[in-house]
Amino acid sequence: MSWPADAELVEDQDHADFRSSVRSFLAQHAPTRRVRQLCDDAGRVERSALWRQLCTELGVAGLCVPEEFGGQGAPASYQVVLLEELGRTLAPVPMFASTVLATTALLESGDAEACKRWLPAMVRGERVATMAAGERPHDWDLRSVTTTATCLGGRWRVTGSKPWVVDGDNATLALVLADSADGSVLLAVDLDDEAVRREVSATLDPTRPAVTIHVDDVVADLVGGVGEGRRIVDATMRRAAVALAAEQLGVATRALEMAVEQAKTRVQFGRAIGSFQSLKHLLADCYVEVEGLRASVRHAAQALDDGDPAQATLLAHLCKAVGSDVALDVAGASIQVHGGIGFTWEHDAHLYFKRATVSRQWLGTPAYHRDKVAALMLGATA
Amino acid sequence: MTTEAVSSEAGPARLDEFRGQVLEFLADNLPDGFRGVGALAGDVREAFLGPWRDALVRTGYIAPEWPVEYGGAGLTQQQRIVLDEESARAGAPLWALPTDPIGFGLLGSIVLLWGTPEQKQHFLPALVSGEHRWAQGFSEPEAGSDLFNLRTRAVLDGDEWVVDGHKIWQTQGHKANWIFLLARTDPAARNRDALSFLLVPLDQPGVVVTPIRSMTGEEEFAEVRLEGARTSAANILGAPGQGAQVALSLLGFERSAFGAAHVHYGSELDRLVVLTREQGLEDDPGIRQRLADARIKIEVMKAMSFQARKRAAAGSSPGPESSVFKLYQTTFDLTLTELAMDLLGMGATITTGQPSATVLGPDPVGTPNSSAAWQSAYLRSRAAVIYGGSSQIQRNTIGEQVLGLPREPRPTGGRA
Ligand SMILES: Cc1cc2nc3c(=O)[nH]c(=O)nc-3n(C[C@H](O)[C@H](O)[C@H](O)COP(=O)(O)OP(=O)(O)OC[C@H]3O[C@@H](n4cnc5c(N)ncnc54)[C@H](O)[C@@H]3O)c2cc1C
């Protein structure tokens, strides 16, 4: 279909080229039929293979990693393009866990030694990492972290439980936020250590696995300074919020495309249903929302690249609030436009709806992010 | 928190230099201690606007992108945005006569696009000088949304068009002395091909202009009856029968005229933040959510207008995507002014303090935080979702022209 290409805001040639190579790779290797298979338990090994291929052929994991750590040092705007494309196909790869969260945290820590040690293998897709910070359903300010760390004779040990760790089933490394006597710390935990237990939960969104990780007095390596844990995680969250909004943009764009296609072809009362205004206007409103999100995500990526922290903070909250609302609204509308078929397991509409539902909660709901914006305007409430 | 400048795309030092020039111009020509045109009381405002317009004319800033030979400043798109933003931030209007928005925003753009060299030479400078003050004559009592279904007729009599018809809802029409209109010039042709775009002086026998009071209580539009009104055969834009095409390109300009909207809305929101504190509502979770939502939407508009400028810089003219912005902006306007009413609470029910300075669009910098000002902004927001193509028409446009959905069945055959 033509509208995204035509109506899409102009992007420069390099971004457009990158977008089209990612899109054709995913169309070939991760069409939604395959995505469904990969999400089965049996698909786990294949999922790792797909990720390694994405990393080696398109360099996705090292896109924004400086060259000294094995990456390409590209600006954030490329990562945004990539996540949008991944959102369109729902490909179950650990891009978010390993690259957006863990890689960003390592880079934000400023700990060159840790970066040198972990990043090159992550960039090649040989090692999958994740981040485990929050512990309570609404605590994105990380006020109530109960995981504890102690340092004895220069060795760190960590104990605690972290729920819903994204891609925690395939990862072999987790960056774990813990509190120590000397302040918060971020610790690199080897998930294959026998004192780590992974509890796989059933998830609403099968395309994005998450597990609970229990860590019992495990030896771990400090990443960044003592007392730096929360700062690193906060900075990571800001970038992750923009990345997630980009993915939400992809989810919304694809859900809308499917709905528009259906509205053009499905005939009732002797007319294509898209000629009825109630549907036409619903879809037009969706389009307006999607275009607003698209502009915002690009704007935010630009702010990240410009290194303007105040603007980037505002835009990160903005993007996550808008992205969550738009993705869910549009994915819901898409089911509606499809009618009965849209409610079936066989149709893809629900996959987008579920991804939208889960990523709306993840990293904070729209209300949470709007309150952050309000705090920038009015100050925080007591 | 205030809305800050375009930094990212402006880049080059030359733009910063231009920004410096604009700031200097504003400092030199605005009165000492100027707090925005909204802060001036009625008669003081009138006294300010005359000399201010002269300053805009002297510099060409009144028509920033036009070539200098027609009275413009020959600015690039990027420079124009800087001028828009800095003027909006200072609360200095770029248009001073009540008819200027129609003249420059619509008629001027369309003459530049479709006009012959003679037409440009004749009409553009007269618009700059204020000699020609324009009204937009599209709507008729029976043809609003169904714009091209109009009845006004024009026939060629020697070297003059003779026009008969009834136009309605002309913004500031009672202050205008020229009107651009669509008229049916070929009774035999199909609906759209029958129309021509004519420029007609209002100041002549056979034309009656009657002001109409709007729901804000002000006379802000008018109706225009034309009986045997005459205009030179040369005063046609495009060829006979091309009127619909000319009008459509004009509507693109009308809907995409949003240059510094985010700055204006930013200043309205700043006032609402002050009002929130005055009312002791800064910890109210519902109000916090709505204020943040407004802030977010203003940023979204800013982001959208950046993208639109990139498109324009890449050479595409405003297309159906201008409907996207119009819909977004006017819907936002409803929610922002509703929020103001809720912040005022019972205070919203009575009219106190100074009114606002604008007739259409968001309030300029300096407008007081009075219930009088917010009431008119609130009432005005109900107009923007109707004029320039109602929200429903915008949705039809997006659905059909952007998303490619099938058109609604239309009755076969137009009016003869
Ligand atoms: C403040 C103000 C200033 C204006 N200034 C000017 C001016 O300067 N010059 C000028 O020419 N005109 C002007 N207008 C007129 C304006 O363009 C028309 O009012 C507008 O196009 C709507 O037309 P209408 O009033 O005939 O309403 P109608 O066309 O009768 O519409 C009534 C309702 O029906 C809906 N509707 C109509 N058709 C459809 C459809 N196909 N699908 C779904 N819903 C539909 C509309 O959305 C609206 O809600 C102005 C109007 C206002 C309010």
Side-chain angles (χ1 to χ4, degrees), chain A residues 306-350:
Chain A
D306 289 347
D308 177 347
Q311 184 70 356
T313 301
L314 171 70
L315 291 174
H317 291 307
L318 175 159
C319 277
K320 182 57 175 64
V322 175
S324 300
D325 281 337
V326 172
L328 190 60
D329 285 354
V330 175
S334 188
I335 294 180
Q336 182 70 16
V337 170
H338 282 91
I341 190 84
F343 193 68
T344 62
W345 183 262
E346 278 65 34
H347 199 276
D348 290 339
H350 72 102

Side-chain angles (χ1 to χ4, degrees), chain B residues 40-366:
Chain B
L40 305 178
D43 45 344
V44 187
R45 188 180 304 146
E46 290 306 312
F48 159 75
L49 286 174
W52 172 244
R53 193 177 191 281
D54 294 341
L56 293 173
V57 170
R58 269 198 312 277
T59 46
Y61 287 167
I62 195 148
E65 284 161 308
W66 295 7
V68 178
E69 55 170 319
Y70 303 128
L75 300 188
T76 65
Q77 172 86 2
Q78 301 244 6
Q79 288 173 319
R80 197 248 150 86
I81 288 154
V82 169
L83 176 66
D84 274 354
E85 285 186 341
E86 292 304 335
S87 310
R89 201 163 289 131
L94 280 179
W95 292 325
L97 285 171
T99 51
D100 279 349
I102 306 282
F104 290 96
L106 304 178
L107 189 270
S109 313
I110 217 71
V111 167
L112 270 182
L113 198 64
W114 290 86
T116 62
E118 294 74 28
Q119 287 172 330
K120 290 181 194 170
Q121 216 77 58
H122 179 69
F123 286 107
L124 297 179
L127 170 57
V128 168
S129 70
E131 185 195 334
H132 289 178
R133 298 180 305 281
W134 287 91
Q136 177 187 26
F138 284 176
S139 308
E140 299 185 1
E142 308 290 327
S145 301
D146 194 6
L147 174 63
F148 297 136
N149 200 24
L150 53 92
R151 290 182 174 175
T152 296
R153 284 163 192 272
V155 291
L156 215 42
D157 176 25
D159 57 1
E160 284 185 326
W161 293 101
V162 181
V163 190
D164 288 283
H166 181 186
K167 299 287 178 180
I168 195 168
W169 315 128
Q170 277 60 60
T171 296
Q172 301 294 326
H174 47 303
K175 308 255 171 85
N177 58 5
W178 277 76
I179 188 168
F180 56 87
L181 52 79
L182 281 178
R184 198 163 286 284
T185 46
D186 181 356
R190 272 191 57 245
N191 217 0
R192 290 192 178 200
D193 305 334
L195 307 179
S196 298
F197 196 107
L198 301 179
L199 313 176
V200 182
L202 285 172
D203 200 3
Q204 63 166 308
V207 176
V208 179
V209 180
T210 316
I212 305 173
R213 234 157 100 106
S214 81
M215 72 188 240
T216 67
E218 282 167 47
E219 288 183 348
E220 62 179 77
F221 39 32
E223 65 182 307
V224 177
R225 290 174 189 271
L226 306 120
E227 268 175 54
R230 290 180 170 264
T231 193
S232 155
N235 290 340
I236 179 171
L237 276 188
Q242 258 187 338
Q245 233 177 305
V246 179
L248 282 175
S249 54
L250 181 139
L251 291 175
F253 286 108
E254 181 165 13
R255 291 166 191 169
S256 61
F258 54 75
H262 60 274
V263 182
H264 289 293
Y265 284 121
S267 90
E268 286 199 331
L269 184 58
D270 288 344
R271 278 160 66 213
L272 286 188
V273 169
V274 171
L275 188 57
T276 302
R277 292 216 169 90
E278 283 171 5
Q279 304 284 64
L281 290 170
E282 62 266 48
D283 290 340
D284 181 302
I287 295 295
R288 288 173 73 86
Q289 289 285 313
R290 290 168 70 187
L291 283 169
D293 185 53
R295 171 78 190 157
I296 286 171
K297 292 199 163 115
I298 290 169
E299 286 293 329
V300 171
M301 275 188 263
K302 180 177 170 190
M304 286 209 250
S305 70
F306 278 5
Q307 298 292 338
R309 290 169 204 168
K310 278 198 200 160
R311 283 179 74 91
S316 54
S317 58
E321 79 280 354
S322 56
S323 295
V324 173
F325 198 88
K326 199 221 172 212
L327 194 52
Y328 196 94
Q329 175 185 346
T330 57
T331 308
F332 169 73
D333 206 23
L334 299 178
T335 58
L336 186 76
T337 56
E338 271 165 24
L339 173 57
M341 294 285 104
D342 287 352
L343 285 170
L344 288 163
M346 284 306 288
T349 63
I350 47 169
T351 311
T352 52
Q354 285 283 327
S356 62
T358 39
V359 183
L360 300 173
D363 278 329
V365 167

Side-chain angles (χ1 to χ4, degrees), chain A residues 3 8 264 271 277 280-281 285 287 296 298-299 302 306 311 314 318 322 367 370-371 378-379 381, chain B residues 4 8 277 283 288-289 292 295-296 299-300 306-307 311 392 395-396 400 402-404 406 408-409:
Chain A
W3 69 261
E8 219 164 57
K264 283 180 185 171
R271 294 157 57 174
Q277 269 193 4
K280 185 176 289 169
H281 288 192
D285 283 337
Y287 180 75
S296 307
R298 297 206 181 159
H299 203 37
Q302 182 79 57
D306 289 347
Q311 184 70 356
L314 171 70
L318 175 159
V322 175
R370 278 197 291 270
D371 198 62
L378 296 165
T381 50
Chain B
E4 56 312 290
S8 45
R277 292 216 169 90
D283 290 340
R288 288 173 73 86
Q289 289 285 313
R295 171 78 190 157
I296 286 171
E299 286 293 329
V300 171
F306 278 5
Q307 298 292 338
R311 283 179 74 91
Q392 286 70 36
R395 291 188 179 100
N396 284 349
E400 293 173 11
V402 182
L403 299 178
E408 284 178 74

